[in-house]
């Protein structure tokens, strides 16, 4: 199956997509700064360069659909509608965070929005998504599960087991591989004999396509086509979104495995530059529109930081809560 072509858009749609990607970029850049100030601790994996995937795929899903992501999930959370204040508070580890301050950067969770992590184990979200899809099928509900993971996960047994079971039972699940070419610090061609990731899914009889993950319209169009097929009972779908992370794997990564010129070349092809340039060329948006959306994103981020800073830490007396099941009276 070939990827669907990029769909035409309206000015309203263009502003919505650009605004969503700018919000993610502004949030991530501020988190990087806060990490250097030791306001955010632990591990921090940023989504810069991959914004088109979260915005494009999440835009094709409905509120009843379940989402499972990786530890690089802040963009998915924002695109899903998690408020920026509680998300930032979670990064700080405050009790007002969307996971109560218990999850931090790698375990963002919002059951009301059906966002089931933030999973720190590589490939660990795949069987969870399959289970969520099985629940939808078993209960004869119209929802589906969307699972995001990096190309490094395809070397894990969970990847093959999950795809096999999803295909065998024709489960309503959309697998989204965010192929950013480097699993931590190892180039794809140094770890995989077959570098076309979607070919691995096709081997299980799953509809599979490769899409330009730097093009938000292409991602959205491909995701909408797959979601429609899944809802029609056609079984699981698979999208390999070819992208590139513009920041290091994590804040501890010295990036000695890739050349600076390579990063800069990909930066010029990034989803924000590409989409903004295209929309300006077609007259859908203006420079004033871009600056207005950028200011709005920056102001929202600063409000989120103020919320997190003003929030309370969880009392020490409560630290044992949610660790063991409480005995019924």
């Amino acid at each position: 199956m070939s990827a669907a072509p990029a769909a035409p858009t309206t000015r309203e749609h263009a502003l919505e997509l650009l605004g969503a990607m700018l919000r993610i970029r502004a949030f991530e850049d501020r988190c990087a700064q806060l990490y250097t100030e030791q306001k955010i601790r632990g591990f921090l994996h940023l989504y810069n360069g991959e914004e088109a995937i979260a915005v494009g795929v999440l835009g094709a899903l409905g509120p009843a659909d379940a989402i499972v992501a990786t530890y690089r999930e802040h963009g998915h959370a924002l695109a899903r509608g998690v408020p920026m204040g509680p998300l930032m508070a979670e990064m700080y580890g405050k009790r007002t965070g969307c996971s109560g301050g218990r999850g931090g950067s790698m375990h963002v969770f919002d059951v009301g929005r059906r966002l089931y992590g933030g999973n720190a184990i590589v490939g660990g979200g795949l069987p969870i998504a399959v289970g969520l899809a099985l629940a939808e099928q078993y209960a004869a509900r119209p929802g589906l599960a969307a699972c995001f993971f990096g190309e490094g996960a395809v070397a894990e047994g969970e990847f093959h087991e999950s795809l096999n079971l999803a295909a065998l039972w024709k489960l309503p699940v959309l697998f989204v591989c965010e192929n950013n070419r480097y699993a931590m610090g190892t180039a794809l061609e140094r770890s995989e004999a077959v570098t076309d990731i979607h070919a691995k899914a096709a081997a299980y009889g799953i509809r599979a396509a490769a899409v330009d993950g730097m093009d938000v319209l292409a991602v959205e169009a491909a995701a909408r086509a797959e979601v429609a097929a899944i809802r029609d009972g056609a079984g699981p779908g698979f999208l390999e979104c070819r992208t590139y992370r513009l920041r290091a794997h994590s804040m501890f990564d010295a990036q000695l495995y890739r050349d600076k010129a390579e990063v800069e070349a990909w930066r010029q092809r990034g989803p924000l530059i590409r989409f903004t340039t295209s929309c300006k060329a077609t007259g859908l948006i203006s420079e004033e529109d871009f600056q207005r959306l950028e200011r709005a994103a920056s102001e929202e981020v600063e409000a989120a930081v103020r919320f997190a800073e003003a929030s309370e830490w969880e009392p020490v007396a409560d630290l044992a809560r949610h660790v063991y099941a409480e005995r019924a009276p």
Side-chain angles (χ1 to χ4, degrees), residues 160-202:
H160 299 279
E161 294 160 354
S162 297
L163 265 64
N164 181 66
L165 195 61
L168 188 65
W169 290 349
K170 293 189 67 175
L171 297 178
V173 57
L174 174 61
F175 297 104
V176 183
C177 177
E178 298 179 309
N179 179 6
N180 62 32
R181 300 184 72 247
Y182 291 96
M184 293 187 71
T186 303
L188 179 62
E189 58 271 17
R190 292 175 63 88
S191 62
E192 291 291 328
V194 176
T195 57
D196 289 328
I197 303 300
H198 65 290
K200 300 176 187 290

Side-chain angles (χ1 to χ4, degrees), residues 140-156:
R141 294 191 297 256
L144 60 87
C147 182
F148 295 87
F149 53 94
E151 81 286 351
V154 306
E156 299 291 331

Side-chain angles (χ1 to χ4, degrees), residues 3-302:
T9 188
T10 63
R11 170 176 163 79
E12 182 181 10
H13 188 208
L15 291 172
E16 179 184 354
L17 294 174
L18 179 58
M21 290 193 291
L22 282 169
R23 289 180 71 240
I24 295 172
R25 180 65 62 88
F27 182 88
E28 299 286 77
D29 286 346
R30 191 68 168 96
C31 284
Q33 180 183 355
L34 291 165
Y35 194 88
T36 63
E37 297 171 2
Q38 297 188 9
K39 297 294 182 67
I40 296 174
R41 297 173 179 267
F43 288 98
L44 179 64
H45 306 82
L46 300 176
Y47 201 58
N48 296 54
E50 303 182 33
E51 297 90 348
I53 303 174
V55 172
V57 175
L58 269 294
L61 300 176
D65 298 325
I67 313 297
V68 180
T70 66
Y71 45 73
R72 201 182 304 277
E73 85 281 31
H74 317 138
H76 308 99
L78 289 170
R80 185 56 170 177
V82 176
M84 197 177 286
L87 181 58
M88 185 63 79
E90 188 61 38
M91 306 293 283
Y92 272 63
K94 297 294 186 72
R95 68 184 305 178
T96 54
C98 56
S99 302
R102 295 296 186 96
S105 172
M106 294 198 291
H107 299 281
V108 172
F109 194 94
D110 191 322
V111 68
R113 292 176 175 82
R114 301 212 73 195
L115 175 64
Y116 298 105
N119 293 274
I121 298 174
V122 174
L126 285 146
I128 296 173
V130 168
L132 289 164
L134 176 60
E136 293 298 310
Q137 184 188 76
Y138 188 79
R141 294 191 297 256
L144 60 87
C147 182
F148 295 87
F149 53 94
E151 81 286 351
V154 306
E156 299 291 331
E158 296 99 323
F159 174 85
H160 299 279
E161 294 160 354
S162 297
L163 265 64
N164 181 66
L165 195 61
L168 188 65
W169 290 349
K170 293 189 67 175
L171 297 178
V173 57
L174 174 61
F175 297 104
V176 183
C177 177
E178 298 179 309
N179 179 6
N180 62 32
R181 300 184 72 247
Y182 291 96
M184 293 187 71
T186 303
L188 179 62
E189 58 271 17
R190 292 175 63 88
S191 62
E192 291 291 328
V194 176
T195 57
D196 289 328
I197 303 300
H198 65 290
K200 300 176 187 290
Y204 289 99
I206 294 175
R207 295 181 317 283
V211 62
D212 184 352
M214 307 299 260
D215 183 342
V216 67
L217 291 175
V219 173
E220 184 182 53
R224 288 193 185 280
E226 279 304 323
V227 167
I230 293 169
R231 294 203 200 284
D232 284 342
F238 189 103
L239 292 177
E240 177 193 348
C241 298
R242 293 174 176 173
T243 185
Y244 194 90
R245 54 175 167 78
L246 300 178
R247 285 188 177 269
H249 168 74
S250 73
M251 293 297 289
F252 289 104
D253 179 11
Q255 298 194 80
L256 301 178
Y257 49 85
R258 60 183 188 179
D259 190 76
K260 291 181 179 179
E262 176 186 301
V263 178
E264 184 56 34
W266 276 93
R267 191 181 306 280
Q268 297 307 313
R269 298 166 53 188
L272 282 168
I273 291 177
R274 187 168 175 178
F275 187 66
T276 302
T277 301
S278 175
C279 288
K280 285 181 179 179
T282 56
L284 282 172
I285 67 169
S286 64
E287 176 61 22
E288 290 73 22
D289 291 324
F290 177 86
Q291 292 181 6
R292 174 174 53 82
L293 290 172
E294 193 173 46
R295 279 195 306 272
S298 179
E299 290 169 1
E300 186 181 8
V301 170
E302 293 311 311

